[in-house]
Amino acid sequence: MDQLDVSIIAYLQKDGTATNAGIARKVGVSEETVRRRLKRLMNEKFIRVVAVPDASRMGFESQVIIGLQVDADKVDSVSDDLALMHEVTWVSVTTGSFDIFAWATLKSSDALSDFLRKRVGTIPGVRKMETFINLASKKEQMGINMETVTV
């Protein structure tokens, strides 16, 4: 990866629908160069292009971060179980007061309650859950900010 790759990715982060020609104009190379670079970056799994829906506009009222304390020998199995749940969009094994954090998005507070009590709370090894309900999102960015990356 070089600085041109970084510039291409940074531009795509600003406008995920940008054309190869548009990116080429912005970064000062040919359209073919952009096309070739993007293909390599995707094939080598440096990037993936996805659509990110706005949960609240899609009718999902409850977005929550769940902090879990689990038995030490169950961290991997609990995090794997969470990762399989369609309501969960992000799972991280961590250090500190919580062993795992998960981000879940549900249609309503009733759905959230059922999800926590009947699904997450019944996973073997879960000792304690604490939820942090999202009141407002001030920044949502996928991956890393490429504008700060130099190679």
Side-chain angles (χ1 to χ4, degrees):
M1 178 173 286
D2 62 15
Q3 195 59 46
L4 178 57
D5 292 330
V6 170
S7 296
I8 291 169
I9 296 168
Y11 191 75
L12 272 175
Q13 281 184 312
K14 290 179 191 154
D15 180 4
T17 63
T19 64
N20 290 342
I23 296 169
R25 280 191 299 277
K26 291 291 185 182
V27 300
V29 297
S30 72
E31 181 179 354
E32 178 56 33
T33 297
V34 171
R35 182 180 296 109
R36 190 175 59 252
R37 294 285 185 119
L38 283 173
K39 183 177 180 180
R40 180 183 52 78
L41 289 167
M42 287 188 271
N43 286 342
E44 294 178 8
K45 305 213 186 294
F46 281 99
I47 64 170
R48 55 194 165 93
V49 179
V50 299
V52 180
D54 182 313
S56 62
R57 290 189 56 112
M58 300 288 290
F60 289 84
E61 296 175 8
S62 294
Q63 295 181 63
V64 62
I65 296 173
I66 308 162
L68 296 116
Q69 293 177 350
V70 302
D71 297 332
D73 63 335
K74 300 276 194 263
V75 170
D76 287 333
S77 63
V78 171
S79 60
D80 289 343
D81 286 351
L82 289 166
L84 293 173
M85 297 179 179
H86 70 273
E87 299 91 345
V88 175
T89 56
W90 174 82
V91 177
S92 183
V93 176
T94 63
T95 62
S97 300
F98 294 100
D99 302 300
I100 300 169
F101 279 100
W103 182 277
T105 305
L106 296 108
K107 286 278 190 179
S108 66
S109 56
D110 288 341
L112 173 61
S113 178
D114 286 347
F115 175 72
L116 293 171
R117 289 183 295 107
K118 297 176 182 175
R119 308 252 326 272
V120 178
T122 62
I123 299 172
V126 171
R127 286 184 284 131
K128 180 182 175 184
M129 277 188 298
E130 188 170 341
T131 57
F132 305 88
I133 295 179
N134 181 35
L135 299 177
S137 292
K138 300 296 184 176
K139 181 177 184 178
E140 292 184 26
Q141 179 177 334
M142 301 293 291
I144 59 174
N145 184 347
M146 295 303 287
E147 292 181 348
T148 64
V149 174
T150 55
V151 286

